[in-house]
Amino acid sequence: MNLILLGPPGAGKGTQAAKIVEKYNIPHISTGDIFRENIKNGTELGKKAKEYMNAGQLVPDELVIEIATDRLTKDDCTDGFVLDGFPRTVFQAEELDKFLSAMGSKIDHVLYLDVNREELMIRITGRRICTNCGASFHLVNIPPKQDGICDVCGAELIQRKDDSEETASNRIEVYNRETKPLVEYYEKAGNLSHIDGTLGLENEFNAIVGILGE
Ligand code: AMP
């Protein structure tokens, strides 16, 4: 089961990916998480990606394609995977198709989570992330029990740099320009399913299970 979660920043791709992982037992591959991990560890890749990420710009295709395809060759991907945040450009999608087809494989489903801009801004700017375990909260929608503290592990919650108002707005613009054309790309390929990303977590997940099957 080779899946892509497609949608604007703040649509809830990461949240649905976690639920998919739990139910279908396939790895969650987030290029954003891979970059953040590299920034945290001070690697060369992290240094290269940081500037782009903090500005809400896309990291150059060559870098992203290399880390994504490298990750896809790992053993845990043989029964499938859920890609979150990759591909983000038509070029990345074409390269992914070529890579998979060379391995005798393909993308089975593209789940497109759609949310309007106003709602996205509220979601992104209110998001708070645990500095230790990565759990995600929201000041209004999923408030932690104690202000600024992670419910899961007790560490401090912070706002991601790229979740600030200005950067969030930039990311949505970049999404509309660079990534939204993928909707048409996968519609043409015939494997895209639309999911209303404002239905609430459980309803959205039920819709996904309806598409993927039990
Ligand atoms: P995300 O966590 O998916 O929102 O990604 C955070 C940031 O990482 C993005 O705003 C980009 O700067 C960078 N990034 C992640 N995935 C990609 C990708 N497929 N192509 C280009 N940049 C990416």
Side-chain angles (χ1 to χ4, degrees):
M1 190 185 279
N2 299 341
L3 312 177
I4 294 176
L5 273 166
L6 180 64
K13 300 189 293 295
T15 310
Q16 292 301 331
K19 293 174 83 67
I20 290 172
V21 168
E22 197 184 325
K23 184 169 174 72
Y24 297 99
N25 212 7
I26 51 175
H28 171 202
I29 301 177
S30 155
T31 40
D33 282 351
I34 297 176
F35 286 135
R36 279 184 288 277
E37 190 62 27
N38 275 275
I39 292 175
K40 208 164 121 190
N41 296 332
T43 67
E44 274 310 305
L45 175 67
K47 279 180 204 149
K48 284 185 195 157
K50 193 172 174 179
E51 306 264 303
Y52 297 100
M53 291 175 74
N54 287 346
Q57 298 295 333
L58 294 186
V59 173
D61 280 339
E62 319 80 72
L63 274 184
V64 187
I65 291 163
E66 194 183 328
I67 62 153
T69 51
D70 184 57
R71 178 65 187 85
L72 287 171
T73 55
K74 299 277 185 296
D75 285 349
D76 62 344
C77 294
T78 43
D79 290 337
F81 50 79
V82 53
L83 284 169
D84 159 13
F86 179 85
R88 253 179 164 101
T89 63
V90 171
F91 183 70
Q92 290 178 18
E94 288 168 348
E95 290 300 305
L96 174 65
D97 280 348
K98 279 190 218 160
F99 172 82
L100 290 174
S101 123
M103 301 208 306
S105 184
K106 62 174 180 39
I107 293 297
D108 299 309
H109 293 280
V110 180
L111 306 163
Y112 172 42
L113 272 174
D114 197 15
V115 176
N116 64 59
R117 187 183 189 283
E118 196 183 338
E119 173 68 19
L120 289 175
M121 284 302 288
I122 295 171
R123 289 189 188 183
I124 297 175
T125 56
R127 178 156 64 180
R128 295 295 180 271
I129 307 283
C130 175
T131 43
N132 178 48
C133 73
S136 183
F137 298 85
H138 189 278
L139 294 182
V140 182
N141 302 339
I142 325 166
K145 292 196 185 89
Q146 205 183 330
D147 260 2
I149 303 292
C150 176
D151 287 0
V152 182
C153 72
E156 187 197 1
L157 299 180
I158 53 151
Q159 182 179 47
R160 261 168 55 176
K161 270 217 181 80
D162 58 347
D163 282 348
S164 69
E165 186 137 354
E166 193 192 341
T167 311
S169 171
N170 212 2
R171 287 164 67 205
I172 294 172
E173 237 176 74
V174 169
Y175 167 81
N176 284 329
R177 194 175 61 235
E178 305 280 347
T179 310
K180 212 161 175 206
L182 289 181
V183 174
E184 206 187 318
Y185 180 92
Y186 288 116
E187 251 165 6
K188 276 195 191 138
N191 53 9
L192 185 107
S193 305
H194 284 253
I195 293 146
D196 180 346
T198 62
L199 294 176
L201 298 187
E202 290 310 322
N203 291 334
E204 288 159 31
F205 188 61
N206 288 340
I208 290 174
V209 174
I211 294 158
L212 302 181
E214 287 291 338

